[in-house]
Amino acid sequence: MNTKNICDKEVVFIKVKKVFVCQECGNKSPKWLGKCPVCNSWNTFTEEQMFTKHTVLDNSALNQPVLISDLAFSEQRRHVTGISEFDRVLGGGAVPGSLVLIGGDPGIGKSTLLLQVAASLSKQNKVIYISGEESLAQIGIRSKRLHIDATNLYIVCETDIEAILSHLKNISPKAVIIDSIQTMTCRDINSVPGSIVQIRETTIRLMHYAKKYGTCIFIIGHVTKEGTLAGPKILEHMVDTVLYFEGERHQSFRILRTVKNRFGSTNEVGIFEMCDSGLKEVLNPSSVFIEQNKFDVPGSVIVASIEGTRPILVEIQALVTPTSFGMPRRMTAGVDQNRVALIMAVLEKRVGLNIASFDAYVNVVGGVKLLEPAVDLAIATALASSFKDKPVLDNMVVIGEIGLTGEIRQVSAIQRRLKEACKMGIKKALIPSMNIDKLLECDMDIYTADTLKHALEVALKTN
Ligand code: TYD
Ligand code: MG
């Protein structure tokens, strides 16, 4: 054990010991284990050094408690990036002194997005982009491709956290981009970059810097095969905001989703399109997601879903075909597979469709994920429409939640959903009966239903 006298009143004991740490969940064990008893993953334990610090502090050096009523409630001025889709997911811009983690699959466009954000922020303040993955020449090529013309944007290729902190102290930027946290290392620790201990230690140092100097730090993090941030959950707890950048690699749309936000609402989404010269904001997503909709095709239904604070019109497609194997297949993209199974059970039992022995495929167009129950009725209508090979009434939006007894439950924010549909030129709407009281005037033909059976009779009536 090392004992250091840092000053007269402060004594620090630093103890170094070796432990085995699960790289999936951070569980520690004094000996090596083949299987982690906490997260059940195999071969994830690696040896790492741990520092235990015992600090005895002089009382006068501590932060003194203050009364909440004495706090000055002045909202800190946020740094607005000017990329409105990005500002929205942050809750109206980046808060000074905050740590923002951006996770996403490799190649989805994290570096591209953050370089564009850095360039945009550098119009008002000094910004530094720290890359541990690309060389200066590679970043140069990328910035040329993105037509970046910024005078206050510094670039440095560095992975050593102490060197990075000294750059930050010299330049004192208002915003910092770290690309990526898995490449950063702390000299005092004998573990490989990307290990839990390295990630935690480097993030803690960045966090202290951010809080002390009021700098906003954006951290890029990689995602594991399972879709969670590599190294992990610990990182999500430490930062103020967690954003996920998602999308199908082979499609051009990208969705930035808030998972945690200490300074704004979660469930917020920002939509971008990857073009030849970087990411472009999609300010009117409804227009792109229902663009190619052909109304007279069985199995296609338009739904108005609320994503965060705004309504988006999206097309849901279903295909129901006779099964060729013993077990019918259920495949979904963009909606929960279990929810589709439940809706099919309700269709079978309450509507009397013999759909259970058929294969069913449900897809949300454009790579959007629909998680709210208000899309249930649209899924059920698309399935029934494909099963009966009958198209849905043309130019109609379908909204409603389905209960297990086959009833249609009311949904929230019906007015905003219908307003968006109206704006996009949709002329008809099928909504839950219970929602009709809350509806103000609307320039559409409104159809209501209180049971799934009734709703399908209305939606699949011949035009
Ligand atoms: P990148 O930002 O490097 O992804 P990440 O940092 O998440 O790994 O993005 C790489 C992909 O984006 C690559 O497949 C090429 C594509 N791309 C474009 O289509 N247009 C562009 O202007 C840029 C810079 C990249
Ligand atoms: Mg990258």
Side-chain angles (χ1 to χ4, degrees):
M1 183 188 290
N2 308 328
T3 308
K4 280 191 207 160
N5 262 334
I6 290 196
C7 68
D8 292 347
K9 292 170 188 166
E10 185 183 341
V11 187
V12 181
F13 304 98
I14 301 176
K15 200 169 154 189
V16 181
K17 63 173 183 178
K18 292 202 167 152
V19 288
F20 292 86
V21 182
C22 169
Q23 298 299 310
E24 282 295 318
C25 68
N27 179 30
K28 296 188 201 102
S29 159
K31 57 181 189 347
W32 188 85
L33 298 174
K35 184 184 176 190
C36 174
V38 175
C39 67
N40 292 331
S41 25
W42 289 90
N43 276 336
T44 50
F45 276 88
T46 55
E47 187 179 333
E48 289 181 357
Q49 283 185 352
M50 287 304 224
F51 297 90
T52 354
K53 269 192 192 176
H54 298 283
T55 315
V56 185
L57 270 186
D58 167 22
N59 252 358
S60 64
L62 298 178
N63 289 336
Q64 296 304 319
V66 288
L67 285 170
I68 193 165
S69 53
D70 293 345
L71 292 178
F73 290 108
S74 61
E75 166 101 0
Q76 281 174 303
R77 221 172 67 82
R78 293 175 182 243
H79 300 306
V80 177
T81 63
I83 301 176
S84 60
E85 292 293 291
F86 192 77
D87 289 334
R88 192 216 332 272
V89 289
L90 289 177
V95 174
S98 66
L99 248 71
V100 181
L101 175 66
I102 294 117
D105 289 330
I108 205 75
K110 301 180 295 297
S111 305
T112 308
L113 176 69
L114 269 295
L115 193 58
Q116 285 179 256
V117 167
S120 204
L121 276 174
S122 72
K123 288 189 184 128
Q124 302 134 20
N125 298 299
K126 270 195 235 170
V127 180
I128 182 163
Y129 183 99
I130 297 158
S131 179
E133 301 198 338
E134 284 158 289
S135 67
L136 284 178
Q138 287 168 326
I139 299 172
I141 297 170
R142 189 195 294 264
S143 80
K144 203 164 179 197
R145 192 170 173 191
L146 302 176
H147 307 300
I148 285 177
D149 174 28
T151 46
N152 258 335
L153 174 57
Y154 296 81
I155 309 284
V156 56
C157 296
E158 183 58 80
T159 55
D160 185 287
I161 194 74
E162 294 304 331
I164 290 171
L165 290 176
S166 99
H167 288 314
L168 297 190
K169 279 177 195 146
N170 290 340
I171 297 179
S172 53
K174 282 276 178 279
V176 180
I177 320 285
I178 303 283
D179 187 4
S180 65
I181 195 69
Q182 277 87 3
T183 56
M184 298 299 153
T185 53
C186 183
R187 273 181 235 172
D188 306 341
I189 293 175
N190 249 347
S191 304
V192 288
S195 63
I196 291 228
V197 183
Q198 287 285 12
I199 290 180
R200 187 173 47 207
E201 200 57 35
T202 45
T203 312
I204 287 177
R205 290 185 193 204
L206 290 169
M207 183 169 69
H208 288 325
Y209 181 90
K211 304 287 167 202
K212 190 167 171 193
Y213 296 99
T215 311
C216 178
I217 303 187
F218 297 92
I219 298 174
I220 294 179
H222 291 295
V223 163
T224 59
K225 284 200 295 294
E226 291 78 31
T228 51
L229 279 159
K233 278 284 164 212
I234 317 164
L235 204 55
E236 293 196 9
H237 290 303
M238 285 195 310
V239 299
D240 299 297
T241 305
V242 181
L243 309 176
Y244 270 81
F245 203 35
E246 311 169 331
E248 299 292 325
R249 270 196 87 160
H250 306 291
Q251 284 185 359
S252 57
F253 292 110
R254 302 279 184 271
I255 297 173
L256 189 64
R257 197 179 283 279
T258 331
V259 178
K260 162 183 173 178
N261 195 353
R262 287 191 182 142
F263 313 112
S265 93
T266 47
N267 306 324
E268 198 63 88
V269 293
I271 299 173
F272 296 87
E273 187 175 2
M274 183 63 96
C275 307
D276 283 345
S277 56
L279 289 154
K280 291 219 164 53
E281 301 171 70
V282 177
L283 295 172
N284 188 0
S286 300
S287 64
V288 288
F289 293 133
I290 59 165
E291 196 178 35
Q292 300 110 354
N293 180 255
K294 309 231 176 7
F295 293 112
D296 53 351
V297 184
S300 152
V301 174
I302 296 175
V303 67
S305 170
I306 298 276
E307 287 287 331
T309 51
R310 82 180 150 175
I312 299 182
L313 289 203
V314 202
E315 181 188 345
I316 294 183
Q317 295 181 339
L319 185 66
V320 179
T321 54
T323 183
S324 20
F325 301 104
M327 272 281 283
R329 299 186 74 179
R330 307 270 179 266
M331 278 179 63
T332 63
V335 287
D336 181 16
Q337 194 162 352
N338 292 329
R339 196 77 199 167
V340 171
L342 182 147
I343 291 168
M344 290 183 75
V346 177
L347 280 171
E348 173 97 20
K349 182 90 179 169
R350 308 286 173 202
V351 185
L353 294 187
N354 283 327
I355 202 170
S357 58
F358 283 71
D359 289 344
Y361 306 88
V362 179
N363 179 34
V364 181
V365 176
V368 186
K369 282 205 181 94
L370 299 177
L371 302 172
E372 57 159 1
V375 302
D376 286 356
L377 184 56
I379 299 173
T381 312
L383 286 165
S385 158
S386 172
F387 180 72
K388 295 188 168 184
D389 212 13
K390 250 183 169 183
V392 178
L393 278 190
D394 70 348
N395 227 343
M396 181 161 82
V397 61
V398 178
I399 304 161
E401 180 181 341
I402 297 175
L404 288 184
T405 58
E407 85 276 18
I408 306 291
R409 300 220 191 118
Q410 61 176 330
V411 300
S412 62
I414 190 76
Q415 191 69 39
R416 272 196 288 149
R417 295 176 202 260
L418 292 187
K419 203 169 152 205
E420 178 75 7
C422 214
K423 203 170 89 191
M424 298 311 302
I426 305 272
K427 294 276 179 279
K428 300 179 193 129
L430 175 58
I431 64 169
S433 303
M434 299 223 277
N435 271 120
I436 195 84
D437 312 339
K438 299 206 180 90
L439 206 60
L440 306 172
E441 62 170 294
C442 180
D443 196 11
M444 292 170 102
D445 294 340
I446 305 287
Y447 300 80
T448 58
D450 46 14
T451 63
L452 180 55
K453 196 166 183 192
H454 181 198
L456 293 180
E457 280 164 15
V458 174
L460 301 181
K461 207 162 62 180
T462 322
N463 284 303

